[in-house]
Amino acid sequence: ALKGNMDAMNCVVSSLAPVWDGEQWGGLEETSNPASLTKMLFSHPSLKDYKYPADSIDNDKLVELYDYCEDCGFECNTVLVQQQKFGDIIRNVLATGHAFPVLDNNQYSFIIDNPQAYPFHILNNQNILSEGLQNTKNFDELPDGLEISFINKGVDYKQDRIECYYDDSIADDPTRRAQAKLEKVEYKFVTDRVQAWRLGKYNLAKRKLRPET
């Protein structure tokens, strides 16, 4: 039997969200799939009268994202301990699945950054009418890699740190590693070491190969 007072208690909890069964969204199950969590958030009870009706969400794209995350092993895991804007939470959840939300004809849809034959660019009222159609190319000095901090489930959900390099050979060369310029980032919605590294590689590639905005 326990005696005395406990100073603290830790626990691991799981989200219950709709899961795609190949034909329809089923009942609530334990899942970390970013698409399932996105669907759950849009209809979460905490939104009360502001919950989004089903027809305001692009179901076809959400299903495509669900399958993509399942195939790639993308998960979203975090603990929200501070009040955040709804839109920021949605964007952070989708970012773990290499996706982001867009508003298309009064319906929320999702752009998935998966391999495709042709590149695309989004043109909308915000970047055409308000700002004028323009293109910007960044010439920032890019880092050699990232120093990623995250909560690692592999070490009992403690704060951890990994290094991720654009050129993997740097990690095997002590001299180049000591001279490497690393940018510090924090991934709050990832708890898996491999996924944190993969997300770092993805973000490094975006900055190098997509300098235009």
Side-chain angles (χ1 to χ4, degrees):
L2 294 175
K3 295 182 180 181
N5 298 323
M6 287 191 300
D7 295 329
M9 181 177 67
N10 298 325
C11 64
V12 177
V13 297
S14 299
S15 297
L16 298 178
V19 172
W20 181 253
D21 64 8
E23 296 182 356
Q24 62 182 358
W25 293 101
L28 301 181
E29 299 181 24
E30 289 188 13
T31 180
S32 296
N33 187 298
S36 289
L37 300 181
T38 299
K39 183 172 179 61
M40 178 266 289
L41 287 170
F42 273 113
S43 59
H44 198 273
S46 64
L47 295 177
K48 299 180 179 179
D49 296 335
Y50 297 96
K51 290 190 291 186
Y52 293 80
D55 60 2
S56 68
I57 310 298
D58 187 341
N59 187 66
D60 290 341
K61 272 295 181 182
L62 197 59
V63 170
E64 182 183 345
L65 177 60
Y66 180 90
D67 290 336
Y68 180 60
C69 291
E70 287 291 300
D71 292 340
C72 295
F74 295 149
E75 294 185 350
C76 175
N77 293 287
T78 189
V79 177
L80 299 177
V81 295
Q82 296 178 336
Q83 186 174 2
Q84 299 182 36
K85 293 182 179 180
F86 179 77
D88 291 340
I89 296 174
I90 290 292
R91 282 187 287 272
N92 284 324
V93 170
L94 289 170
T96 62
H98 298 186
F100 59 92
V102 292
L103 191 60
D104 184 15
N105 294 324
N106 294 322
Q107 185 182 56
Y108 274 96
S109 187
F110 311 96
I111 301 298
I112 306 170
D113 195 6
N114 54 357
Q116 50 196 308
Y118 303 100
F120 64 87
H121 185 74
I122 298 175
L123 301 177
N124 54 30
N125 291 338
Q126 285 70 36
N127 61 21
I128 294 180
L129 299 181
S130 61
E131 301 176 5
L133 185 59
Q134 58 182 339
N135 189 63
T136 302
K137 185 166 184 174
N138 300 320
F139 292 94
D140 299 334
E141 183 177 355
L142 299 178
D144 297 308
L146 302 175
E147 181 181 303
I148 304 169
S149 61
F150 67 107
I151 301 296
N152 189 348
K153 67 179 180 180
V155 290
D156 294 328
Y157 292 90
K158 295 178 183 178
Q159 191 77 25
D160 201 0
R161 181 185 65 84
I162 60 172
E163 295 178 354
C164 173
Y165 299 95
Y166 186 80
D167 181 355
D168 290 331
S169 64
I170 294 178
D172 301 322
D173 187 328
T175 302
R176 295 175 65 198
R177 185 174 180 179
Q179 298 173 347
K181 297 179 180 179
L182 298 182
E183 181 178 302
K184 294 184 178 181
V185 297
E186 183 178 11
Y187 291 162
K188 295 183 178 181
F189 286 69
V190 174
T191 59
D192 181 80
R193 181 183 180 89
V194 173
Q195 186 177 356
W197 181 85
R198 292 173 65 189
L199 189 58
K201 293 286 285 187
Y202 167 74
N203 287 325
L204 284 171
K206 281 200 307 180
R207 292 177 61 176
K208 183 176 179 65
L209 301 176
R210 300 175 182 170
E212 298 184 8
T213 59

